[in-house]
Each structure stands twice: as C-alpha cells, then as structure tokens.
Amino acid sequence: RIGQAELREVSGRFFDLVTRGRVVVEKMSLFSNREEHPPSRIQAQEHNVTLTCHCGSGWSRGCLAAAREVGEMLEIRCTTCPSTRINSAVSASLSKSEMVPRACVCVPGYIDTNPERPDLDSSCTACAFGRYGPAANASACA
C-alpha cells in the first residue's frame, strides 16, 4: 500500500511494482515535461491505482493518464492524446486503475466508436468520403 507519492521527471519509466498480492496506490502524482515515457508497470493479483499526471502546457495534443492490461501487467503512463483525439488539459487522472472515458475527444471528421479507450487512434473512426463529423467528439457523421 502506498498512501501518497510524488515522482518528478525521470529519464526512463517512473516505476515497476511486482507483488503476488494486492497493490493499492491511494494518491500518486507524476510530473513530466516530455510527451512520451516508457510505461510504468504493476504486476499483482489485484491493483487499485489513483494517479494524476501533471503535464504542463507544452504538450501538442493535451494530457492523458493512460492504462492498459498487457498480459499480467498493468501499464500506466502520462502521455498525449493519439492523433485522432485531442484535449486542452494540462493534467489528467486515473481512478481505480481506469482511464476517464472521453478524456481525449475525437477531432472533427471522426466519430467516437470507443469512448472507453481514449488512448487508441482506432477508437475514433473517420467519416466516409463526402461526409464529416460536424464538431469535435461527434457521435455521427453528417
């Protein structure tokens, strides 16, 4: 159990946690001035992570706290929105090891086909030729 932690810019991944039991991180803050880091990893039977990424204002597509399961590992990272998505956030959060749905919105010309995965380019689908997404985060093409 980690009650509270603050981690500042590092040259590689912020951390790796491995245990046979349960990992609970009640409050973690990561401060980063780079858009890409290797993911931090947690390997445990159970995990519950609350994380805030502090990205600052210089990130090209906004700030995203991303999480995904890879085999037995939970990978988490502070990153920017993928090319089909954008936001204007300078900080972002995970709660209970899960991303905030629609943390990054689809750019105009795309529709949101998977709001639960704002970290994936493929979660926004381009409108067909001659049609358009009328605004950011459109749910249908016009």
Side-chain angles (χ1 to χ4, degrees), residues 54-108:
H54 300 276
C55 303
S57 60
W59 291 36
S60 61
R61 305 194 65 74
C63 185
L64 175 65
R68 69 181 183 141
E69 298 279 345
V70 178
E72 296 179 0
M73 301 285 253
L74 172 70
E75 291 187 345
I76 60 176
R77 71 173 66 201
C78 298
T79 189
T80 192
C81 299
S83 64
T84 58
R85 292 183 173 268
I86 197 164
N87 72 30
S88 59
V90 295
S91 65
S93 298
L94 291 175
S95 179
K96 298 181 182 173
S97 302
E98 295 182 6
M99 287 182 285
V100 175
R102 293 187 173 90
C104 298
V105 298
C106 296
V107 297

